[in-house]
Structure formats: C-alpha cells, structure tokens
Amino acid sequence: MLSVKTWRKDIQASFVVFLVALPLCLGIALASNAPLSAGLFAGIIGGLVIGPLSGSPISVSGPAAGLTVIVAGAIQSLGTFEAFTLAVFFSGLIQIIFGMIGAGKIGDYFPNSVIKGMLAAIGLILILKQFPHAIGYDVDYEGSESFQQLDGENTFTEILMAFQWLHWGAVIISVVSILVMLFWEKASRRYSLFNIFPGALMAVLLGIMINESFKVFFSELVLTDKHLVTLPFKGGFKELFNGLTMPDWGAISNPKIYIVTITLAIVGSLESLLSIDAADKITESGQLTSKNRELLAQGVGNTLSGLVGGLPITAVIVRTSANYAAGARSNLSAFFHGLWLFLCVALIPNLLNLIPLSALASVLILVGYKLTKPELYKKMYEKGMNQFIPFIVTIIAILFTDLLIGIMVGIAVGFIFVLRSNSRQSIVVVSDGIRVLIRFHKDVSFLQKSRLLKIFTELPEGSTVLIDGSRSVFIDEDIVELIEDFIKSAESKNLIVDLKKSSLALNRLFKGGING
C-alpha cells in the first residue's frame, strides 16, 4: 500500500518527467522523419501502459533517441509510415515472446562497470548536448545522443557553433532556471513548503514568465518560436485523436517488414534491458527488476504503439534518471507523466508552446551532473583497473559513437578483463629458486593456453616443476596437449616434471611414467 508521502513524491516527479519527455518525444519524432504525433503517442503509451506493467519503480519508457537512425531508414525503405507502424506492431509481439521464453536473462550478463560507464556517459552527453540549447542554439533536435548529428556537426563542434549564435535571452533563462532548482533543492530539505511543487516545474514556469516579460520590456531578448516547444496540435481531444494512424495491413506481404520487425525487436529489447539494469544501479537499493516482465511490458506497449501510429518504445535512461532525481518512489510517476502528456497536449497546447527550450535544457543539465559526479570516477578508480578501464572505455565509446555501439565496445573490453582476471586466478605459479609449483584452480580452458605456454618458456634450466591439477574441475584438451608437449621437451632442458593428485583430465599423463 502506497503512503500519502509516496503519492506526493511520485506526482511531483511525474511533472518533471513530463516536462523532460515532451520535447524529447517531439525531437525524436522529428529526427526519425516521422509525424510529430507519433512521438507523442509513444510517450503517452510508455507512461499509461508500460509504466504500470513494468516491475521497475523508477523506469520510464518512451521513444528512444538510439533508434532514430533505424526508424528513419526503415520508413524510407518501406515507403510509408503506415507500413512502418505494422513492423512496430509485430516487433511488440516478438518482445512478448521474448519475455515468455525468458530472454530477459541476457540482461544479467552486462558487467557492472559497463552499466555505470553508460550512466556516466549519459550524464556527460546530457551536459554537452543540452549546453547549446541552454544558450539559445536549437539546431540539433532535443534528445540527440549520437556523436555525429543530423545537422552535420558533432557533439563538440555544435558547442563551438552555439557560441557564434549565442542568444542572451536564452542564457538569462537557463542561468535563472539552474539557480532556482539549486535553491529549491536546498530549501526543500529545511522547509516543507518547498516540497509542494518540484523545483524543475517552478524553474520552467519562471522561464515562461521571464520570456513573456521580455516581450514587454526587452524585445531584443525575446525567444521566438524556434527556441520554444512546438506542438503539432492546436488543442482538443478530437484533433489529438485525428492524429492516430492505423497500420497498413496490406504491407504484410512485403519481406522488408520482417527485417525491420526483427531489428526493432532485438535492438529495442537490448536498450530496454540496459536501461532497466541502469535503473537498478541508480536506486542502489539492491532490488532487481524482473527483466522478463520488462520485455513483456515493452512488448505490450509496442503492439499498442504500432496500432495507433506511434514510434517504437523502449525503457529510456534519460527520463528514468530525471524521474529518480525528481524523487520518484514507485511506477505511479511513470503512469502520471503519461497522463500529463495526454491531457496537456490535448487541453493546453498553447501554454506548452510557451516553454523555452533553454529552461528544459537546464533541467537536463542538472540531471546529467547527478549521473556523472566526480565521486563516481573516484569510486570506480579505487575498485582497480579491472573495473576502471572498462568503465572509462564505455564512456569514451558512447561519447564518440552512440549508446548501443558504445555499450557493445564496453562489454567487449569488460569481457577481455574478465578473461584476464580468470586466467590469472585459474593458474597460480609459486617459485622458490629452482623449485616451481604450477597449480590449476577451477576451470582451465584454452583461453589460458597462451599464459601457460609463457610460464613453461620462462622456466629456468634445471628446475624441478610440480604441476598440481587436483583443484581443477575441468581442464581443456588443448591444455592437456600443451602439458604433454612440455613433458616431452623437459629432458632436453634439464627439467624434472611431476604431477600431483591429478584431475581426470590429466590421468592419461600418468601412463607415461609421471607419478604424483
């Protein structure tokens, strides 16, 4: 049973997530060459449907920036947006099957160092990508995450361009917004009055008021429409529902549909699993979300999104991070953020169109800072190079490519360090002058062949070598053959080799007269 305090926290957080999600839904739809309404429908379904179905207390779902290139290419390949929504519908069905057969277990194999690297990278991306919006350069779309941008720039050249087109009205609004949020956060710890409304909401409302006052007193500072939220609707439920698009069922015979379907299902599922894993890390509660349940929830959401003309939906870490930073305690926040999207887009689009993008950028910049605080880097460094290097590599790879490619690079590097660590633990060498003990632990696979060969090669001449396989559970045939070859060459190097209480894998070596 949720307490009144939890309800209040969740509703407050839902307003913040709504403010963050609104421009992201529009920006991602724009970048995907899809109708703007498609992004809004995906955001609404992500909140109202997936929110309650997800097992995560803080995860928020909606259209994902990581899929924009795939979506834009698929729409062009299939010829019509209606054909594309059929692929979205089918991808949802596949995700439901994934959840039913337990495919969510894949998410259990993402290294912690890589997930933490992803969170830190998202934080840096939010700061770097939102900075141009904060100073009034709104050329790249809201929600952009990739290093190479659709406007021809990259993350860093965009910042340089922004300084050439700096808008002082946007700068004033973003600075005031950040100061208001910092003040609100500090005051809310001492005075309950400041807990009634979230600081981000107050900052955005103040941003609207400042820009409206510019129209009266400082016309040269006024932010025009290109610097404000721009909705495709003038208002009313009727107009909103008129934006619904049914799938083109006739495209079911097009073989390209199924290629797009499988791509969306696999990539969308991976991104959702990564985000859910990251959400569990953010909360630091130790509670693990059921990944199979998450795939089922995403599948239901995508089938509905495809039916109404929405974009593909995934769990998204930016909105999830904003949700947690705003104080969310349960999935009620995700549900209410979808409700606010639905109601506000239908009822008060004119008010939403007054929101300065620079004010929203300030909200995301603070969220980004909380994800990539210097203390995080210090903690990861203190854990050793096996954790720190995959962490840093993941950050760099994400910054200079995109989320999914960066994660794959991070996982590959993490896997190499796992193998390296296991290799060192599997074979222990103790030397006392010319007496050398080589002891095997647990499993010794072909991956340790290179290290064992190096150990054999570097043995000093005249050594007495004891190979102890008694503690190993499994020894690969490649390792056994390597030991056989070593024993055969031992006499020529004046080495004495013995085996101690050998495992079954080494038993056949005793036939050659080696005793242990």
Side-chain angles (χ1 to χ4, degrees):
M1 188 70 179
L2 297 176
S3 65
V4 174
K5 184 178 180 181
T6 299
W7 270 78
R8 189 179 72 241
K9 285 283 187 182
D10 287 333
I11 292 175
Q12 288 177 345
S14 70
F15 280 114
V16 177
V17 183
F18 155 68
L19 292 172
V20 169
L22 178 63
L24 297 186
C25 290
L26 296 171
I28 291 168
L30 183 67
S32 302
N33 293 328
L36 295 183
S37 58
L40 293 172
F41 292 144
I44 291 168
I45 292 171
L48 294 179
V49 178
I50 299 179
L53 292 178
S54 173
S56 172
I58 66 165
S59 176
V60 181
S61 297
L67 294 178
T68 52
V69 175
I70 294 174
V71 172
I75 294 172
Q76 184 177 11
S77 173
L78 296 175
T80 66
F81 181 70
E82 290 75 14
F84 171 74
T85 59
L86 181 63
V88 176
F89 170 77
F90 284 139
S91 71
L93 295 180
I94 291 178
Q95 286 183 307
I96 291 174
I97 295 172
F98 283 167
M100 293 175 67
I101 64 175
K105 289 181 180 179
I106 295 171
D108 296 333
Y109 296 97
F110 300 139
N112 287 342
S113 57
V114 174
I115 297 300
K116 290 180 180 178
M118 179 184 77
L119 287 169
I122 289 293
L124 289 173
I125 286 172
L126 284 175
I127 294 170
L128 294 172
K129 292 288 191 181
Q130 293 301 318
F131 182 79
H133 295 292
I135 63 176
Y137 189 65
D138 299 303
V139 177
D140 193 28
Y141 72 94
E142 283 282 350
S144 173
E145 293 176 357
S146 298
F147 181 70
Q148 295 295 339
Q149 300 178 174
L150 298 179
D151 62 352
E153 303 293 335
N154 62 48
T155 302
F156 298 112
T157 60
E158 185 83 0
I159 293 175
L160 296 177
M161 288 292 295
F163 280 110
Q164 298 178 32
W165 298 91
L166 185 144
H167 193 299
W168 284 108
V171 173
I172 292 171
I173 290 173
S174 60
V175 170
V176 171
S177 297
I178 289 176
L179 292 176
V180 166
M181 286 185 285
L182 293 175
F183 166 77
W184 213 270
E185 186 174 334
K186 187 175 181 179
S188 63
R189 299 192 191 108
R190 298 184 60 185
Y191 307 105
S192 58
L193 177 65
F194 288 90
N195 287 314
I196 298 175
F197 298 104
L201 176 61
M202 301 310 296
V204 170
L205 292 176
L206 185 58
I208 294 174
M209 294 170 61
I210 292 174
N211 193 48
E212 291 302 303
S213 69
F214 286 160
K215 294 178 181 179
V216 179
F217 301 106
F218 306 100
S219 57
E220 69 276 10
L221 297 177
V222 173
L223 296 178
T224 56
D225 290 348
K226 67 179 181 179
H227 301 298
L228 307 174
V229 170
T230 305
L231 287 170
F233 306 114
K234 294 181 180 179
F237 289 105
K238 182 178 180 181
E239 186 179 359
L240 179 61
F241 287 121
N242 284 340
L244 298 175
T245 303
M246 292 294 292
D248 179 8
W249 299 102
I252 198 169
S253 60
N254 185 349
K256 293 180 181 179
I257 285 284
Y258 303 102
I259 297 174
V260 174
T261 294
I262 294 170
T263 302
L264 291 177
I266 293 175
V267 177
S269 296
L270 284 174
E271 186 152 342
S272 292
L273 292 175
L274 286 165
S275 296
I276 285 298
D277 223 350
D280 289 342
K281 294 289 184 297
I282 292 174
T283 60
E284 297 182 345
S285 64
Q287 177 182 347
L288 298 179
T289 301
S290 169
K291 295 180 177 67
N292 291 327
R293 176 176 172 177
E294 186 63 29
L295 289 179
L296 285 169
Q298 296 297 331
V300 172
N302 276 303
T303 55
L304 291 175
S305 188
L307 285 174
V308 301
L311 290 177
I313 303 170
T314 71
V316 276
I317 196 58
V318 172
R319 273 156 272 189
T320 299
S321 303
N323 193 31
Y324 181 72
R329 297 291 180 269
S330 77
N331 54 16
L332 276 177
S333 176
F335 173 81
F336 276 110
H337 114 275
L339 183 62
W340 305 144
L341 272 174
F342 174 64
L343 293 177
C344 293
V345 168
L347 299 177
I348 54 170
N350 291 334
L351 177 60
L352 298 179
N353 285 337
L354 298 177
I355 297 176
L357 295 178
S358 55
L360 296 175
S362 302
V363 175
L364 289 170
I365 286 172
L366 282 186
V367 170
Y369 174 74
K370 290 177 180 179
L371 287 175
T372 191
K373 286 183 177 179
E375 299 89 74
L376 173 62
Y377 295 82
K378 183 180 178 182
K379 286 181 181 178
M380 293 304 296
Y381 179 77
E382 291 172 349
K383 289 184 177 182
M385 290 298 107
N386 283 352
Q387 292 289 309
F388 186 69
I389 292 179
F391 168 76
I392 290 295
V393 168
T394 301
I395 293 173
I396 294 172
I398 291 175
L399 281 178
F400 286 94
T401 57
D402 59 34
L403 183 63
L404 288 174
I405 293 176
I407 284 290
M408 293 303 110
V409 171
I411 289 175
V413 172
F415 181 66
I416 291 170
F417 274 85
V418 168
L419 293 179
R420 178 175 176 269
S421 177
N422 287 343
S423 174
R424 293 187 176 279
Q425 293 174 6
S426 297
I427 303 176
V428 176
V429 181
V430 180
S431 177
D432 179 15
I434 60 172
R435 293 183 299 174
V436 180
L437 168 64
I438 302 174
R439 176 171 287 157
F440 297 155
H441 289 267
K442 296 182 180 180
D443 296 339
V444 187
S445 72
F446 71 94
L447 296 171
Q448 280 81 47
K449 186 176 178 179
S450 176
R451 180 165 183 254
L452 185 59
L453 182 61
K454 185 173 184 290
I455 292 170
F456 287 158
T457 304
E458 294 177 351
L459 287 170
E461 189 172 344
S463 297
T464 298
V465 183
L466 175 60
I467 301 175
D468 182 3
S470 62
R471 302 185 184 185
S472 60
V473 178
F474 165 79
I475 298 179
D476 194 287
E477 182 66 24
D478 283 10
I479 300 296
V480 175
E481 289 185 7
L482 181 62
I483 296 173
E484 287 179 330
D485 294 340
F486 169 66
I487 291 172
K488 291 175 183 177
S489 64
E491 187 176 349
S492 64
K493 296 181 180 179
N494 195 25
L495 298 173
I496 300 174
V497 183
D498 197 5
L499 302 178
K500 178 183 178 183
K501 295 180 181 179
S502 173
S503 67
L504 291 176
L506 293 179
N507 277 348
R508 77 164 192 255
L509 297 179
F510 285 84
K511 297 176 181 178
I514 305 294
N515 298 314

